[in-house]
């Protein structure tokens, strides 16, 4: 595959393509949702200007990775397509359809009473009355006059309202939820106590449910909601209150919540709020899908079950399988030479215009095994003998689902880069220094991880397609 060069200006122009215009001109149906548009084909995807967000997976980006994600294109193909390519189509740029200016933040008008909010949160959500009354007395929860939504107010360090989240109180259908326009994400709904513990939640109802379940001395601790899974409110409270030394992540017990937990851990590490070499961020997970589902279960309501992350379920199985492959590998050939041979066999599969799933999966498995054997062999050369179980454990510990995004083509690109790096290090003549050996092992681990991600994608893709194929067969048989 020939290398395609794009200037920074070309990449910026491709990334600035208006996705509303892009989708509409391809016949896609979009539905207006506030300042955004919801894509009917993928109803969890919203677009606005050149930006997109997939709410079911809590991921998003701009035009180039949108085309890579949903049109299964490589980076060069995506940029070429957005620049017009051979078709000569000129897509509108975001500057041509800029959204109206952002409104100033203003709290909705308050209703004289809170009857609907109290009825909804106590009778439907089972929030403790005393807990709810405490926040209502502090004017942090109230009922808006026009729509009777529950309004959860976020104050800044000067006790000035800077954020408000609205939650519908109607019990029929999916309740309305959204932020008041102009809300500052750094100041979402929260409570600060005197202890060193800060509990972190996705939404206000989650926070209130957790407090209800853990009511004793609850005011001594601190709590913050993330306005979804954004880190801004968490970081702002840690910055404003240095006594908060123990963040506890209490996000939803589903794939999106698990990914967000991993991402927030990485952010806290980058901001020097903890050192993973000496401690770990505390994580609490609800028994069911979220803390309110746990609360419902206590009141005899059938809860929505928790959802484990499918990739984290599959990961130990794949590591066990690759461990068996490692044990069966011949020891007659030098480890690095064997790894180089596997890389050479893998390279043409990555250049293929149509990636052959089964062939690529098997070759990735063999490459992972050889990469791990090379790591073990290098450790022995450094007089640090390790078992293959331990090396496989390193691979498993290195995997983070929130970093495993994109389609198979993007994963193939990651493997291609890793293959080039490992091959170059193996072919470099001379005796490696201790630092060079460590870098070589890191390159091998990166290659193994990239191949494992591609394998995982292929396996899960097949599992997702199997039920659809079975339904098609059953439907055909009944015709």
């Amino acid at each position: 595959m020939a290398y395609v060069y794009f200037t920074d200006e070309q990449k910026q122009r491709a990334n600035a393509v208006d996705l509303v215009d892009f989708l509409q001109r391809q016949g896609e149906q979009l539905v207006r949702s506030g300042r955004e548009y919801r894509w009917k084909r993928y109803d969890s995807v919203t677009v606005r200007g050149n930006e997109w967000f997939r709410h079911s997976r809590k991921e998003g980006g701009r035009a180039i990775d949108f085309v890579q994600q949903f049109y299964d294109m490589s980076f060069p193909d995506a940029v070429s397509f957005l620049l017009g390519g051979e078709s000569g189509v000129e897509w509108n740029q975001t500057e041509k359809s800029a959204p109206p200016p952002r409104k100033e933040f203003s709290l909705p008008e308050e209703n004289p009473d809170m009857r609907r909010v109290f009825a909804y949160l106590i009778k439907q959500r089972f929030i403790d009355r005393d807990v709810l009354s405490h926040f209502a007395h502090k004017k942090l929860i109230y009922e808006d006059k026009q729509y009777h939504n529950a309004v959860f107010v976020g104050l800044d360090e000067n006790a000035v309202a800077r954020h408000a989240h609205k939650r519908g109180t109607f019990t029929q259908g999916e309740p309305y939820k959204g932020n008041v326009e102009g809300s500052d994400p750094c100041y979402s709904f929260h409570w600060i106590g005197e202890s060193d513990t800060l509990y972190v939640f996705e939404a206000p109802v989650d926070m209130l449910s957790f407090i209800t379940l853990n009511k004793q001395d609850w005011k001594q601790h601190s709590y913050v909601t993330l306005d979804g899974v954004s880190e801004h409110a968490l970081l702002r409270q840690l910055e404003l209150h240095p006594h908060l030394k123990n963040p506890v992540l209490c996000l939803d017990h589903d794939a999106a919540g698990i990914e967000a937990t991993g991402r927030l851990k990485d952010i806290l590490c980058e901001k020097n709020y903890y050192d993973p070499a000496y401690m770990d961020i505390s994580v609490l997970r609800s028994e069911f899908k979220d803390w309110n589902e746990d609360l419902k279960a206590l009141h005899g309501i059938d809860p929505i079950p928790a959802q484990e992350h499918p990739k984290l379920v599959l990961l130990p199985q794949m590591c066990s399988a690759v461990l068996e492959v490692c044990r069966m590998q011949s020891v007659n050939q030098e480890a690095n030479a064997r790894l180089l041979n596997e890389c050479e066999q893998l390279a043409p599969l990555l250049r293929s215009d149509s990636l052959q799933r089964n062939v690529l999966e098997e070759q990735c498995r063999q490459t992972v095994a050889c990469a791990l054997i090379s790591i073990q062999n290098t450790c022995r050369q450094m007089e640090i003998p390790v078992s293959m179980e331990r090396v496989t454990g390193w691979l498993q510990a290195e995997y983070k689902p929130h970093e495993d995004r994109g389609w198979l083509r993007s994963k193939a690109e990651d493997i291609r880069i890793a293959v080039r790096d490992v091959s170059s290090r193996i072919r470099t003549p001379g005796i490696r220094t201790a630092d060079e050996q460590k870098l070589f092992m890191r390159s091998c681990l990166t290659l193994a991880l990239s191949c494992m991600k591609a394998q995982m994608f292929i396996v899960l893709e097949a599992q997702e397609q199997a039920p659809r194929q079975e339904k098609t067969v059953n439907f055909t048989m009944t015709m």
Side-chain angles (χ1 to χ4, degrees), residues 31 33-39 42-48 51-61 66 69-70 165 174 177-179 202 227-230 252 254-260 263 289 307 405:
V31 178
S33 177
R35 294 163 63 87
E36 300 175 331
Y37 287 85
R38 191 170 297 277
W39 189 6
Y42 297 95
D43 59 6
S44 72
V45 175
T46 56
V47 294
R48 176 179 170 184
E51 297 180 339
W52 64 276
F53 192 78
R54 192 171 195 168
H55 297 265
S56 62
R57 299 184 183 178
K58 303 292 191 297
E59 62 182 11
F66 178 87
Q69 280 270 5
F70 297 102
H165 177 76
E174 182 68 21
K177 52 186 175 181
N179 295 332
E202 292 189 23
D227 197 15
V229 292
S230 169
D252 287 2
D254 57 14
I258 292 169
E259 287 192 17
R263 185 179 64 84
K289 192 260 181 186
Q307 177 195 12
R405 301 288 180 83

Side-chain angles (χ1 to χ4, degrees), residues 1 7 28 64 91 107 126 141 161 220 261 273 275 299 321 343 355 358-359 373 385 424 461 469:
M1 181 171 143
T7 66
E28 298 289 349
I64 294 175
W91 310 106
L107 286 174
F126 304 104
I141 299 177
Q220 298 299 312
T261 297
Y273 284 108
D275 186 346
H299 288 80
C343 288
L355 295 168
N358 293 338
V359 178
I373 291 171
S424 174
E461 182 184 55
Q469 293 171 350

Side-chain angles (χ1 to χ4, degrees), residues 401-447:
H402 63 281
E403 294 180 348
D404 186 7
R405 301 288 180 83
W407 292 83
L408 188 56
R409 286 186 183 276
S410 63
K411 298 182 190 305
E413 181 66 25
D414 291 339
I415 297 173
R416 187 180 296 110
I417 294 170
V419 163
R420 187 163 59 239
D421 182 32
V422 168
S423 300
S424 174
R425 292 184 186 279
I426 292 176
R427 291 191 174 103
T428 300
I431 299 175
R432 296 190 188 95
T433 65
D435 287 341
E436 288 171 339
Q437 287 177 316
K438 291 177 182 178
L439 289 173
F440 173 68
M441 288 193 290
R442 167 52 58 180
S443 295
C444 289
L445 191 60
T446 299
L447 173 60

Side-chain angles (χ1 to χ4, degrees), residues 79-192:
V79 175
S80 296
F81 185 47
L82 290 166
L83 291 176
E86 296 179 357
S87 63
V89 176
E90 182 183 355
W91 310 106
N92 285 344
Q93 303 284 298
T94 50
E95 295 87 329
K96 299 180 182 179
S97 56
R102 193 180 187 89
K103 293 182 181 178
E104 290 188 11
F105 174 76
S106 177
L107 286 174
E109 185 178 356
E110 186 176 350
N111 198 53
D113 61 63
M114 290 183 61
R115 284 182 296 177
R116 292 195 188 183
V117 167
F118 265 73
Y120 172 72
L121 291 176
I122 294 173
K123 295 181 180 180
Q124 299 296 323
R125 293 306 192 117
F126 304 104
I127 303 301
D128 182 86
R129 179 179 290 273
D130 291 339
V131 171
L132 182 54
S133 295
H134 170 82
F135 284 99
H137 179 72
K138 297 289 185 179
K139 299 294 183 181
L140 297 177
I141 299 177
Y142 70 91
E143 182 175 317
D144 83 69
K145 184 175 182 179
Q146 184 174 7
Y147 299 107
H148 301 282
N149 295 314
V151 181
F152 301 90
V153 181
L155 307 180
D156 66 12
E157 57 270 28
N158 298 312
V160 176
R162 299 280 296 278
H163 187 285
H165 177 76
K166 297 182 292 183
R167 180 83 184 193
T169 56
F170 292 102
T171 57
Q172 300 297 320
E174 182 68 21
Y176 166 79
K177 52 186 175 181
N179 295 332
V180 172
E181 194 165 359
S183 290
D184 186 336
C186 291
Y187 296 101
S188 56
F189 183 65
H190 64 275
W191 172 260
I192 302 300

